[in-house]
Amino acid sequence: EVYIKMLGCIVKLFMKNTADAKLFITTLVNKMQKCVTRHSRMSPVTLKLVGDFSSCSLILRPLMDSLNNKSADWVNSIQFIFIPTDADNPIGRYISTLDDTYTRLLD
């Protein structure tokens, strides 16, 4: 699952393969470019990645490839929040002691 907040909107996406991730990243980068063209500044984008580490890499790898030739402003405008759902992840175990809703994600 990926939650994206951009320009005040939150979108939840489910991606199962690399093709879905590449399409999403291409669309995201194009929207960011339109925003820069219209407003001459970069709006911050927050990507909340919910899943295991393979899900995270499914998104991050194509994103890094697409930002390879972009300026530092582009890279700095994107914030990642990774919420691990691996039962054996130490961060996930700690969060599950604080939040019952998160604990149910691990089941």
Side-chain angles (χ1 to χ4, degrees):
E1 296 174 46
V2 178
Y3 294 84
I4 304 138
K5 183 176 183 181
M6 184 174 180
L7 301 174
C9 298
I10 298 175
V11 178
K12 181 179 180 180
L13 303 169
F14 293 94
M15 286 177 244
K16 297 293 182 190
N17 58 48
T18 306
D20 290 344
K22 286 181 181 179
L23 178 61
F24 162 71
I25 294 302
T26 301
T27 304
L28 176 66
V29 170
N30 288 341
K31 295 240 182 237
M32 290 173 71
Q33 183 62 53
K34 285 181 184 178
C35 186
V36 169
T37 303
R38 285 187 195 147
H39 305 290
S40 69
R41 66 178 177 81
M42 180 67 64
S43 293
V45 175
T46 302
L47 296 174
K48 296 177 184 173
L49 306 172
V50 179
D52 58 13
F53 284 109
S54 64
S55 299
C56 184
S57 66
L58 185 74
I59 298 296
L60 293 180
R61 191 165 287 129
L63 181 61
M64 293 301 110
D65 289 343
S66 69
L67 295 178
N68 193 23
N69 297 322
K70 299 291 185 184
S71 69
D73 289 341
W74 272 82
V75 177
N76 293 331
S77 70
I78 300 174
Q79 177 185 23
F80 295 99
I81 300 172
F82 178 58
I83 304 167
T85 57
D86 298 278
D88 60 346
N89 183 291
I91 297 169
R93 282 194 309 265
Y94 175 72
I95 295 171
S96 68
T97 64
L98 303 174
D99 185 357
D100 290 336
T101 303
Y102 182 82
T103 304
R104 287 190 293 276
L105 288 173
L106 298 176
D107 293 333

